[in-house]
Amino acid sequence: TYVVLKVQNLKSSTVDRRGSEPCWEQDFMFEICADGKGFIIELWKKGLLWDTVLGVLWIPLAAVEHATDEGPGSWWTLHSEVIKNGSEIQGTKTPTSHEILLDVYFALPF
């Protein structure tokens, strides 16, 4: 499995990990515009011919706190559907059985 993170026009992904409880311990840092609405996280299962999405999560930027260092993170339930208004993502719905532990924060200057 692997994770894809999309924010504004940026996209990044983790390396593939095997097992029922994969751990990536991977940091992502993006410089983004303040007018952004949020970002999407996708959990994918690598396939022989094509990959399958296991769940998605929309996190509004308004819900992200500011911090100077990493914290313990929070468990988030992944969903199977994306809610859109035209082409703009507004959220996710229909929880799956998959959860992901994330530590999400705006980095403050030291």
Side-chain angles (χ1 to χ4, degrees), residues 66-106:
H66 292 77
T68 55
D69 202 4
E70 295 179 11
S74 300
W75 284 98
W76 299 75
T77 299
L78 298 173
H79 298 93
S80 61
E81 296 180 66
V82 175
I83 302 167
K84 287 187 174 184
N85 182 7
S87 63
E88 185 176 308
I89 297 173
Q90 294 187 322
T92 51
K93 65 179 182 177
T94 313
T96 68
S97 61
H98 302 289
E99 291 184 329
I100 191 165
L101 177 62
L102 302 170
D103 184 20
V104 180
Y105 61 93
F106 284 114

